[in-house]
């Protein structure tokens, strides 16, 4: 007898919209309903450091596969089948969530998942595509990002995130912009990144399930053709070129720690129109602080601690990395491994700033070795 297909949910959205936060808020809900529920994550990130997947691993996600330094709908698409099979074999999950990088085309990814489902004889079933929109910063990037518009259009459910600090006028602007896409998409507001699990999983994935890449599909009265010719035409717009990525490695002795005061100066100084994301795994001996009006401490300890840093649009959190959590080889206990995702044409300037601006230093007299590379 054939096994029950593993449902797959795709979560997409522009850089810093809150995709990982949405996912991590689903885990305790799933565990409360079923303590043995196994949720697996297939994560696609810019850069060459596995950061969000380490955050997920420390939050009781049962299994994580990471595709680094590329777009899952373009140059990494051939790896999707292998990654899904490894999760199915090793984790035996009840569900797989595919979280894309901020530049992936959800329609292309849905086509690929549907293809893998057919070719494996029904091992998987695409449940739907969820698109996360950052209400607070939507006005800042929607006008210039082709990808952001495409992500909002090819989706089964829109989650409006980070709306709490905005007035109704700003939220209405977001609704109007989505309305300009001329598709009728259900939407929901998150509660500081939390959405009931029953809303996110089990959506009416009619749009996603209809995408096969073999014939035009009519959704909500509009013709969405996804044959090979049109697919190539869509990718004539190089959506990966909308951002530039710096990979930062700061190495030192085994006891080397990052100067928290200098790092905090970087986090406070980075402008939102130039820097989209800063992600890092680092060791610091000082008490680092999360962003906010009171800048509450991430930890009250003053001894050496390993942290995951997540910065987006001027806000950031430091999450302590448990010593029991096996660290990904890409960060490998180096004093600091960082990915900085920037607007176009900003990488050269920010590479120089990091090298000469005094933002990254080690504690004490240790100089260490700082290597900064543009990876895309």
């Amino acid at each position: 007898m054939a096994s029950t297909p593993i449902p797959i949910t795709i979560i997409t959205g522009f850089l810093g919209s809150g995709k990982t936060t949405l996912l991590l808020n689903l885990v305790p809900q799933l565990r409360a309903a079923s303590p043995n529920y196994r949720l697996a994550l297939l994560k696609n990130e810019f850069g060459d450091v596995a950061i969000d997947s380490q955050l997920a691993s420390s939050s009781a996600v049962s299994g994580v596969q990471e595709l680094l330094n590329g777009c899952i709908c373009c140059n990494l698409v051939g790896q999707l089948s292998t990654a899904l099979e490894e999760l199915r074999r090793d984790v035996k999950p009840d569900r797989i969530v595919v979280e894309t990088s901020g530049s992936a085309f959800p329609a292309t990814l849905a086509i690929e998942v549907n293809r893998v489902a057919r070719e494996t004889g029904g091992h998987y079933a695409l449940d739907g595509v969820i698109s996360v929109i950052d209400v607070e910063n939507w006005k800042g990037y929607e006008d210039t990002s082709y990808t952001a518009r495409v992500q909002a259009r090819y989706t089964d459910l829109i989650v409006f995130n980070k709306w709490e600090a905005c007035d109704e006028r700003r939220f209405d602007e977001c609704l109007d912009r989505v309305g300009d896409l001329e598709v009728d998409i259900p939407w929901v507001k998150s509660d500081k990144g939390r959405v009931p699990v029953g809303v996110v999983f089990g959506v009416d994935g009619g749009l996603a399930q209809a995408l096969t890449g073999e014939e035009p599909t009519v959704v909500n009265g509009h013709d969405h053709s996804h044959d090979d010719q049109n697919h190539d035409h869509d990718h004539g717009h190089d959506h990966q070129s909308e951002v530039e990525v710096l990979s930062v490695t700061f190495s030192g002795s085994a006891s080397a720690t990052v100067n928290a005061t200098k790092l905090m100066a970087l986090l406070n100084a980075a402008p939102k129109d130039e820097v989209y994301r800063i992600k890092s795994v680092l060791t610091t001996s000082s008490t680092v602080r999360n962003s906010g009006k009171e800048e509450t401490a991430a930890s009250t300890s003053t001894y050496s601690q390993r942290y995951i840093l997540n910065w987006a649009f001027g806000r950031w959190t430091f999450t302590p990395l448990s010593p029991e959590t096996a660290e990904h080889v890409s960060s490998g206990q180096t004093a600091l491994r960082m990915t900085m995702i920037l607007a176009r044409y900003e990488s050269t300037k920010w590479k120089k700033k990091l090298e000469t601006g005094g933002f990254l230093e080690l504690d004490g007299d240790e100089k260490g070795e700082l290597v900064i590379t543009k990876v895309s």
Side-chain angles (χ1 to χ4, degrees):
M1 184 176 65
S3 59
T4 302
I6 300 171
I8 294 178
T9 299
I10 297 171
I11 298 180
T12 186
F14 199 68
L15 297 162
S17 59
K19 300 183 296 294
T20 301
T21 300
L22 174 68
L23 171 67
L24 297 183
N25 280 326
L26 294 171
V27 175
Q29 298 181 63
L30 292 168
R31 289 294 174 88
S34 176
N36 296 321
Y37 194 95
R38 300 182 67 81
L39 178 69
L41 170 66
L42 175 55
K43 171 74 179 178
N44 175 211
E45 281 198 71
F46 282 112
D48 54 3
V49 190
I51 295 173
D52 284 349
S53 64
Q54 296 191 59
L55 188 61
S57 294
S58 66
S59 302
V61 173
S62 298
V64 177
Q65 284 282 341
E66 184 117 21
L67 302 180
L68 295 173
N69 200 20
C71 178
I72 197 170
C73 75
C74 295
N75 56 312
L76 297 180
V77 69
Q79 301 178 30
L80 179 66
S81 179
T82 300
L84 290 175
E85 175 57 28
E86 289 179 2
L87 287 172
R88 189 180 76 91
R89 181 190 65 228
D90 299 338
V91 181
K92 298 178 176 58
D94 295 293
R95 177 180 295 270
I96 297 173
V97 171
V98 180
E99 183 187 337
T100 72
S101 71
S103 72
F105 282 93
T108 309
L109 184 54
I111 291 169
E112 183 66 9
V113 170
N114 286 331
R115 182 192 66 80
V116 172
R118 293 194 308 272
E119 293 184 355
T120 57
H123 285 170
Y124 315 100
L126 182 57
D127 184 40
V129 177
I130 311 298
S131 183
V132 183
I133 289 179
D134 173 1
V135 172
E136 184 175 3
N137 295 290
W138 174 263
K139 186 177 181 180
Y141 59 69
E142 197 272 344
D143 285 338
T144 59
S145 173
Y146 170 81
T147 299
R149 295 195 302 273
V150 171
Q151 285 177 341
R153 182 162 186 159
Y154 291 103
T155 189
D156 294 302
L157 174 70
I158 290 176
V159 175
F160 286 111
N161 202 27
K162 302 182 185 179
W163 58 272
E164 290 89 349
C166 303
D167 56 25
E168 283 299 315
R169 181 177 180 181
R170 171 60 63 87
F171 182 70
D172 288 342
E173 288 176 356
C174 287
L175 285 178
D176 288 343
R177 290 170 185 266
V178 171
D180 291 340
L181 301 178
E182 299 181 344
V183 288
D184 185 16
I185 305 171
W187 58 266
V188 64
K189 285 182 175 179
S190 75
D191 181 6
K192 297 181 179 179
R194 183 187 184 279
V195 176
V197 67
V199 174
V200 176
F201 295 155
V203 299
D204 180 13
L207 189 153
Q209 294 166 6
L211 298 179
T212 65
E214 298 173 350
E215 58 188 7
T217 301
V218 177
V219 179
N220 292 325
H222 296 272
D223 184 5
H224 302 286
S225 180
H226 293 282
D227 57 30
D228 291 337
Q229 181 178 357
N230 283 329
H231 173 74
D232 291 340
H233 174 75
D234 283 344
H235 279 69
H237 178 99
D238 184 5
H239 57 280
Q240 293 191 72
S241 68
E242 292 179 354
V243 297
E244 297 180 349
V245 182
L246 294 178
S247 173
V248 183
T249 302
F250 204 176
S251 55
S253 65
S255 59
T257 55
V258 175
N259 185 299
T261 302
K262 300 289 187 180
L263 179 63
M264 293 291 289
L266 168 63
L267 303 183
N268 279 296
K272 295 192 292 184
D273 58 341
E274 296 179 10
V275 182
Y276 291 155
R277 295 298 303 274
I278 300 173
K279 303 180 181 182
S280 179
V281 181
L282 71 152
T283 303
T284 180
S285 60
S286 301
T287 302
V288 289
R289 309 181 80 81
N290 296 331
S291 61
K293 293 181 179 180
E294 298 180 358
E295 293 209 339
T296 56
S299 171
T300 58
S301 64
T302 57
Y303 58 85
S304 177
Q305 172 71 56
R306 197 77 169 157
Y307 288 99
I308 298 173
L309 165 64
N310 210 326
W311 183 104
F313 295 108
R315 296 180 182 176
W316 63 89
T317 57
F318 286 94
T319 303
L321 190 60
S322 170
E324 287 76 31
T325 301
E327 189 164 339
H328 194 275
V329 66
S330 60
S331 55
Q333 290 298 326
T334 306
L336 177 143
R337 287 288 278 118
M338 176 183 287
T339 299
M340 180 176 279
I341 306 173
L342 304 150
R344 279 181 293 182
Y345 317 121
E346 296 291 344
S347 61
T348 300
K349 177 176 71 176
W350 275 94
K351 183 175 184 291
K352 185 175 181 180
K353 281 187 175 184
L354 293 178
E355 291 172 336
T356 63
F359 287 131
L360 297 176
E361 294 183 4
L362 298 180
D363 286 322
D365 297 328
E366 187 170 355
K367 299 298 182 181
E369 181 183 8
L370 180 62
V371 177
I372 304 174
T373 307
K374 182 182 177 182
V375 295
S376 65

